[in-house]
Amino acid sequence: MSGLTQLQAMGTAERRKEARTVIASSYLGSTIEYYDFLLYATAAAVVFPKVFFSGMDDWVGVVAAYGTFAAGYVARPLGGIIFGHFGDRLGRKGMLIVSMLVMGVASTLIGLVPGASVAGPWGAVMLVILRVFQGIAVGGEWGGAALMALEHSESGRRGFAASFVNAGAPTGAVLGTFIMGAFSSLPNDQFLAWGWRVPFLLSFVLLGVGMFVRLKVSESPIFKAALEQEKREQAEGSPATGGAAPARREIPLLQVLRRPKTLVFTMLAGAAGFALQVVLATFAVTFAVSKGADRQGVLYAYAAASLVSIVFVVLGGRLSDKLGRRPVMVGGLVLFIAYLVPMFQLLSSNNIMLIFVAFAVGLMIHSTLFGPLAAFVSEQFGTTSRYTGASLGYQLATLLGAGFTPGIVAQIFKDSGQNTGSVVWYLAIMSVVSIVFILLTREPKNNDLETVRP
């Protein structure tokens, strides 16, 4: 029995059980991938300036470390294209297994890269190369995980289902930050010498757990049905049956690029959400510590706030099933613009409880945008190009919004005499741009996912 026929033959309870299994596995896999990817963000904020860029002015070292961080975001669209192509041709499941393997190996190796005192500038070069592989892996991971959750779910519950993939990001951030925070309690010289490496080396353990889960997941029924439909069309039109010559299957990337407006609009619509997310994970941590707050306390405050935000990511996805993706996302951006000034005031308080409040409120507001985003992007594309289109649109948004933002914000802050006003303006303008493009993009909540082509 195949594809949608199989789902149609199952009872409602069985279908929902199957969907829950896939959603849970997507959430766990996404958590592991983002643990690896976002652990680098924490290390770039508190470790890499001293280990790989020692001898520089403090904020110059921070900007340089954020440059290596950006390499992962530059590589993410490439990962989306590579994994998207094969995911649209061969299936979602296999690409999820490969992406996790690449991420786990690259992250483990980061924990073994020698610092500047041993390898000189070559340590930073190796760091950038491994960061690129991380970016390629997570560029392929997100699209596959989001589509598996989305394509196994019923209409009216897709925002809720896909939000669990995005909930993996704060969950991974919590896991990574708590582990890095625990090792940061070591004496500073020990932490910088070897303590920071252990969380990266633990990636190998998580890789084993993730691979075990991924191998048990079933392929997307919608993808299988689309593949079977194409085979039938080709067979019916083949010369052997007296029909016309079978049409060659178009490359998924070309299918997406034939509708550049959809790709560009989804990229710009999502960009600000990633800018705000990465500023909280990187610059805000560095800023709070620079104002005298305890490094470990700030890391734990961010981790605890991320833990709270997980629930709000899922609630944002569920709310978008009721109200639509666009109203929920626009509302989140408007609230965040209003919150930027008080957020930096709280972060500069040198009070861990107030810093926790700054992170918690910021991440809760951000979640209303982040929760619906997976469904919003994925629902814009047809089945045979959905992996490529969703991955590329989402990863270009991360590149534009998150890849260079920590370095740009740190440079703006440095050049303005460490004045947060210019940072607030930069983030507010990005948010307004995203609001405009969300409003220009069609509401996808009721789109038919079984459409084979756009």
Side-chain angles (χ1 to χ4, degrees):
M1 196 175 291
S2 62
L4 294 177
T5 306
Q6 182 178 355
L7 273 189
Q8 289 162 358
M10 296 168 67
T12 301
E14 291 176 286
R15 292 175 62 179
R16 290 186 174 177
K17 182 180 178 182
E18 175 75 7
R20 285 195 297 268
T21 300
V22 172
I23 291 167
S25 67
S26 292
Y27 170 65
L28 179 59
S30 180
T31 296
I32 293 170
E33 291 264 356
Y34 279 98
Y35 164 83
D36 290 334
F37 193 76
L38 297 177
L39 183 64
Y40 193 105
T42 304
V46 301
V47 175
F48 293 166
K50 297 178 178 63
V51 174
F52 295 100
F53 303 99
S54 56
M56 297 181 177
D57 174 78
D58 285 350
W59 278 101
V60 173
V62 168
V63 172
Y66 286 162
T68 70
F69 174 76
Y73 284 92
V74 172
R76 283 174 69 161
L78 176 60
I81 292 171
I82 295 170
F83 283 92
H85 175 83
F86 291 104
D88 282 326
R89 285 293 183 90
L90 306 177
R92 319 320 195 186
K93 177 180 174 178
M95 295 305 102
L96 285 174
I97 292 170
V98 174
S99 70
M100 178 165 283
L101 183 62
V102 173
M103 175 64 85
V105 172
S107 300
T108 302
L109 291 176
I110 286 173
L112 300 174
V113 174
S117 61
V118 175
W122 288 106
V125 171
M126 286 185 275
L127 201 63
V128 169
I129 292 170
L130 292 171
R131 181 60 174 170
V132 167
F133 277 102
Q134 276 196 321
I136 290 172
V138 84
E141 158 70 22
W142 180 87
L147 266 56
M148 288 287 277
L150 201 75
E151 293 177 348
H152 274 86
S153 299
E154 303 171 57
S155 179
R157 296 175 61 87
R158 299 195 307 238
F160 175 73
S163 69
F164 279 88
V165 177
N166 277 4
T171 309
V174 169
L175 187 60
T177 307
F178 268 126
I179 293 176
M180 186 68 81
F183 282 93
S184 73
S185 64
L186 290 166
N188 197 56
D189 59 336
Q190 293 183 37
F191 175 64
L192 294 177
W194 61 268
W196 69 270
R197 299 178 182 276
V198 178
F200 284 98
L201 297 176
L202 288 174
S203 298
F204 197 74
V205 178
L206 293 176
L207 173 62
V209 175
M211 293 294 282
F212 175 79
V213 172
R214 281 275 155 89
L215 290 168
K216 292 183 173 294
V217 175
S218 60
E219 181 59 87
S220 159
I222 288 179
F223 172 77
K224 287 167 66 177
L227 201 60
E228 288 157 8
Q229 179 183 327
E230 284 199 339
K231 288 178 180 177
R232 283 195 302 272
E233 289 174 353
Q234 289 197 351
E236 289 167 2
S238 68
T241 58
R248 292 179 61 188
R249 187 174 177 190
E250 192 173 19
I251 296 172
L253 180 60
L254 294 181
Q255 284 184 250
V256 172
L257 293 180
R258 290 188 191 283
R259 302 172 64 225
K261 178 180 172 182
T262 301
L263 184 64
V264 171
F265 278 27
T266 53
M267 173 185 72
L268 293 171
F274 291 108
L276 299 173
Q277 179 190 49
V278 80
V279 163
L280 285 166
T282 57
F283 177 78
V285 172
T286 308
F287 175 75
V289 172
S290 75
K291 292 298 181 180
D294 173 66
R295 177 182 62 198
Q296 186 180 20
V298 173
L299 289 175
Y300 280 148
Y302 176 73
S306 297
L307 189 62
V308 173
S309 76
I310 293 167
V311 175
F312 285 86
V313 172
V314 176
L315 288 176
R318 188 71 185 116
L319 188 62
S320 76
D321 284 330
K322 302 290 185 183
L323 304 179
R325 319 296 184 217
R326 297 193 307 168
V328 178
M329 293 169 68
V330 169
L333 283 169
V334 170
L335 287 173
F336 211 108
I337 292 171
Y339 178 63
L340 283 169
V341 171
M343 181 181 78
F344 281 111
Q345 291 174 341
L346 290 168
L347 288 170
S348 63
S349 66
N350 196 17
N351 181 306
I352 293 299
M353 282 306 300
L354 292 179
I355 291 170
F356 165 74
V357 171
F359 284 132
V361 175
L363 287 170
M364 283 189 285
I365 294 172
H366 175 264
S367 296
T368 61
L369 168 70
F370 201 50
L373 189 60
F376 174 82
V377 174
S378 302
E379 289 167 337
Q380 305 289 342
F381 301 93
T383 302
T384 55
S385 65
R386 186 171 293 131
Y387 201 141
T388 301
S391 295
L392 192 55
Y394 191 89
Q395 303 310 334
L396 286 172
T398 66
L399 173 60
L400 181 64
F404 302 106
T405 294
I408 291 172
V409 167
Q411 190 67 51
I412 290 172
F413 182 69
K414 177 179 175 291
D415 292 345
S416 65
Q418 300 190 11
N419 182 350
T420 57
S422 53
V423 174
V424 168
W425 273 108
Y426 177 80
L427 295 174
I429 290 170
M430 283 200 73
S431 298
V432 170
V433 170
S434 282
I435 288 171
V436 169
F437 280 93
I438 290 169
L439 294 175
L440 289 174
T441 303
R442 61 178 180 171
E443 172 58 61
K445 180 171 75 78
N446 297 317
N447 287 359
D448 180 8
L449 283 193
E450 295 176 25
T451 301
V452 172
R453 297 178 180 82

